[in-house]
Amino acid sequence: MHKPAPNNSLKTACSTCNLRELCLPVNLSNIEMTRLDDLITRKGVYRHGSILYRSGDKFQALYAIRTGFFKTQILNEDGREQVTGFQMAGEIIGMDGINSDAHTCDAVALEDSEVCEIPFNRLEDLSRDLPPLQRHLHRILSREIVRDQNIMLLLGSMRAEERLAAFLLNLSQRFAVRGYSPTSFQLRMTRQEIGSYLGLKLETVSRALSHLQEGKLINVRNRSLEILCLSGLQASMGKRAR
Amino acid sequence: MHKPAPNNSLKTACSTCNLRELCLPVNLSNIEMTRLDDLITRKGVYRHGSILYRSGDKFQALYAIRTGFFKTQILNEDGREQVTGFQMAGEIIGMDGINSDAHTCDAVALEDSEVCEIPFNRLEDLSRDLPPLQRHLHRILSREIVRDQNIMLLLGSMRAEERLAAFLLNLSQRFAVRGYSPTSFQLRMTRQEIGSYLGLKLETVSRALSHLQEGKLINVRNRSLEILCLSGLQASMGKRAR
DNA sequence: TGTTAATTTTGACATAGATCAAGCCTTAAG
DNA sequence: CTTAAGGCTTGATCTATGTCAAAATTAACA
């Protein structure tokens, strides 16, 4: 495991960030936007494998991903591990920590990544002054709830291949929103990490990928993935309830 | 399915509610508490089986459960259903709707229940004035995220009997907090609903209950459940990872 | 109160996915 | 460039849980 590069505390400007529409799509005046800029600092680069925060760390800030890719995972007492999400540029992580003032999961960089730090106390202060910002914060929190509940649906009621199809379609859609190809991208995580996220063993993930490939729905070679038939993938979900 | 009783719009007083410490444990002055009271109205009784809100309904309010028991569930396109939670008195539901201004799950009363309606716009307004209330709202939202992620862990990595043990211990603890017996209580939901929540079939739930009973950890007869050995139940989780 | 419908339990059997194992491939390090 | 370590695939087998079915119990309702 690497250490993050030293914190240079570079000032960040949301106002000029090209992820603005994704990350904080709030209608603010110039002067209001400046106040937001003042809040947020760019933290140094997190190298592949390094840890943004750990379970148990004091909660102080949310983090907006500028570039790169993270996973979040929880570990219970007996060492069992569950990947709870994969996060990409423009997404905000750390909300698990608000409740108890301590993080309840680990956030690990899956490639070299940059994040913006948003001190939460100051975000609360500012959001009392700026109702659109307040509303946006609430939406982000709620979105996370909805997202998690959809994963519960996936884990509770889909079979292996459906879970994988849902996972790939979700990635596809998120790449598309960011202006990348929805049909051709690199997987940033191992089969084991995909398996943990989907409640499957890595062998099952591998077999399901192979099977989707046999069916001409995808092409997969190591980490590079090509979706050959989006609608076919969609159809391969929802075949039959478990 | 019954209709809810007509909305009498009774005024509620959080200030005198005996669930206050559970529901809104916020340190407010008397005058501030009055402003909170003004916000909240008691809705009529929801009979067993009736629906508090449905997926797709416009989101307007959060609901605090005064008495009774609810389940929340999502249904995907192909009719698959997943119970996402069971909620009891003092708990707040409806947060799924904030993100998109529409609810994304159904909330169904599992017994005759009363709720307090908290109009969300007005809650936002008031929480801009009252920082402790704002902080509490954020904690509630975050707590829901943490809760959901722990269910992901359960669904993704535990075997049937462990899931059931975790479920029973969770209920036990929540009853304890409310001053009820942690070792003897009624299940308010069917085996099928438990199964949906835990990602299991009802037969598996039934068998796992029988098996825990054979092991002298619980006594179960229909909906009445007695925990004979809390520590044994705890131990029966975390035996072996899947 | 009697009748029907829903819920629960239990058994027999089927199967999706886990486990174990081997070999290959890719990437990182020396 | 070589070697080692981690990651991936595929096959053979095992097992937890699903599926199907029947009977028993309980709850709902006329």
Side-chain angles (χ1 to χ4, degrees):
Chain A
M1 294 296 149
H2 316 261
K3 284 276 172 56
N7 182 344
N8 299 315
S9 288
L10 297 167
K11 268 298 155 199
T12 316
C14 290
S15 43
T16 62
C17 176
N18 57 8
L19 290 169
R20 187 171 17 125
E21 289 306 312
L22 258 164
C23 177
L24 291 168
V26 176
N27 250 337
L28 298 181
S29 69
N30 284 347
I31 190 161
E32 289 167 344
M33 193 58 100
T34 308
R35 295 180 65 189
L36 190 59
D37 287 349
D38 286 345
L39 204 71
I40 293 174
T41 54
R42 177 139 39 134
K43 293 195 82 176
V45 171
Y46 283 81
R47 302 295 305 277
H48 176 266
S50 69
I51 293 178
L52 177 55
Y53 57 80
R54 294 193 134 82
S55 179
D57 284 358
K58 183 161 170 47
F59 168 73
Q60 303 192 299
L62 301 179
Y63 302 94
I65 303 175
R66 275 179 78 86
T67 63
F69 214 94
F70 282 82
K71 68 170 175 181
T72 48
Q73 58 187 9
I74 36 181
L75 296 104
N76 74 351
E77 313 77 57
D78 36 313
R80 243 173 287 196
E81 155 190 325
Q82 173 79 25
V83 171
T84 55
F86 298 107
Q87 296 83 16
M88 55 176 80
E91 296 177 335
I92 289 175
I93 62 180
M95 294 170 278
D96 56 279
I98 299 170
N99 175 50
S100 59
D101 290 316
H103 286 287
T104 60
C105 64
D106 304 337
V108 183
L110 293 182
E111 62 181 41
D112 296 357
S113 304
E114 287 174 279
V115 302
C116 299
E117 185 176 60
I118 312 170
F120 191 67
N121 286 337
R122 296 187 58 200
L123 180 63
E124 282 186 323
D125 293 344
L126 188 57
S127 81
R128 284 199 302 275
D129 269 9
L130 307 177
L133 181 63
Q134 178 197 33
R135 167 52 60 109
H136 184 63
L137 174 59
H138 294 160
R139 282 192 204 281
I140 286 174
L141 287 158
S142 172
R143 186 170 62 200
E144 183 69 22
I145 292 170
V146 172
R147 196 184 70 82
D148 290 349
Q149 293 183 347
N150 281 310
I151 299 169
M152 288 169 57
L153 175 66
L154 177 146
L155 290 172
S157 76
M158 292 184 181
R159 40 191 59 251
E161 203 169 305
E162 295 176 305
R163 295 185 200 187
L164 197 60
F167 169 68
L168 295 177
L169 287 167
N170 175 267
L171 282 182
S172 165
Q173 205 228 313
R174 285 154 74 199
F175 281 122
V177 167
R178 285 161 181 77
Y180 299 111
S181 167
T183 54
S184 184
F185 48 84
Q186 293 292 120
L187 299 171
R188 299 274 133 78
M189 65 298 280
T190 66
R191 303 290 190 261
Q192 139 71 30
E193 286 162 336
I194 297 173
S196 170
Y197 182 61
L198 299 178
L200 302 170
K201 292 294 163 184
L202 69 96
E203 294 95 330
T204 306
V205 172
S206 178
R207 276 186 247 267
L209 283 171
S210 299
H211 189 244
L212 289 174
Q213 183 159 256
E214 280 169 35
K216 310 278 187 213
L217 297 180
I218 64 172
N219 244 320
V220 57
R221 181 169 164 71
N222 302 312
R223 303 288 180 92
S224 28
L225 192 118
E226 192 185 354
I227 297 180
L228 301 175
C229 178
L230 273 168
S231 56
L233 255 195
Q234 256 136 17
S236 81
M237 293 169 52
K239 269 189 191 152
R240 219 170 0 151
R242 268 222 303 188
Chain B
M1 293 297 149
H2 315 261
K3 286 272 172 57
N7 182 343
N8 298 316
S9 288
L10 297 168
K11 269 296 153 200
T12 315
C14 290
S15 42
T16 62
C17 176
N18 57 9
L19 289 169
R20 186 171 19 126
E21 290 306 312
L22 257 163
C23 178
L24 291 168
V26 177
N27 251 337
L28 298 181
S29 69
N30 284 347
I31 191 161
E32 289 168 344
M33 193 58 99
T34 307
R35 295 180 65 188
L36 190 58
D37 287 349
D38 286 346
L39 204 71
I40 294 173
T41 55
R42 178 141 37 134
K43 294 196 83 175
V45 171
Y46 283 81
R47 302 295 304 277
H48 176 265
S50 68
I51 293 179
L52 178 55
Y53 57 80
R54 295 194 133 81
S55 180
D57 283 357
K58 182 162 169 49
F59 168 73
Q60 305 193 301
L62 301 179
Y63 302 93
I65 302 175
R66 275 179 79 86
T67 63
F69 214 94
F70 283 81
K71 69 171 175 180
T72 47
Q73 58 187 8
I74 36 181
L75 295 104
N76 75 350
E77 313 78 57
D78 37 313
R80 243 173 286 197
E81 156 190 325
Q82 172 80 27
V83 172
T84 55
F86 298 106
Q87 296 83 16
M88 55 177 79
E91 295 177 336
I92 289 176
I93 61 180
M95 294 170 279
D96 56 279
I98 299 169
N99 175 49
S100 60
D101 289 316
H103 287 285
T104 59
C105 63
D106 304 338
V108 183
L110 293 182
E111 62 180 42
D112 295 356
S113 305
E114 288 175 277
V115 301
C116 299
E117 185 176 59
I118 312 170
F120 191 67
N121 286 336
R122 297 187 57 200
L123 180 63
E124 283 186 320
D125 292 344
L126 188 57
S127 80
R128 284 199 301 276
D129 270 9
L130 306 177
L133 182 63
Q134 179 197 32
R135 166 53 60 111
H136 184 64
L137 174 58
H138 293 160
R139 282 192 203 281
I140 287 173
L141 288 158
S142 172
R143 187 170 62 199
E144 183 68 21
I145 291 170
V146 172
R147 198 185 68 82
D148 291 349
Q149 292 182 348
N150 281 311
I151 299 169
M152 288 170 57
L153 175 66
L154 178 146
L155 290 171
S157 76
M158 291 185 182
R159 38 191 60 248
E161 203 170 303
E162 296 176 305
R163 295 185 200 187
L164 198 59
F167 169 68
L168 295 177
L169 288 167
N170 175 266
L171 283 182
S172 164
Q173 205 229 314
R174 285 154 74 199
F175 280 121
V177 167
R178 284 160 182 77
Y180 300 111
S181 167
T183 54
S184 183
F185 48 85
Q186 292 292 120
L187 299 171
R188 299 270 130 84
M189 66 298 281
T190 67
R191 304 289 189 263
Q192 140 69 28
E193 286 163 336
I194 297 173
S196 171
Y197 181 61
L198 299 178
L200 302 169
K201 292 293 163 185
L202 69 100
E203 295 95 330
T204 306
V205 173
S206 179
R207 275 186 247 267
L209 284 170
S210 299
H211 189 243
L212 289 174
Q213 183 160 256
E214 280 169 37
K216 310 277 186 215
L217 297 180
I218 64 171
N219 244 321
V220 57
R221 181 167 164 71
N222 302 311
R223 304 288 179 93
S224 29
L225 193 120
E226 192 185 355
I227 297 180
L228 301 176
C229 178
L230 274 169
S231 56
L233 256 195
Q234 257 138 17
S236 81
M237 293 170 50
K239 271 187 189 149
R240 225 174 352 156
R242 268 221 304 185

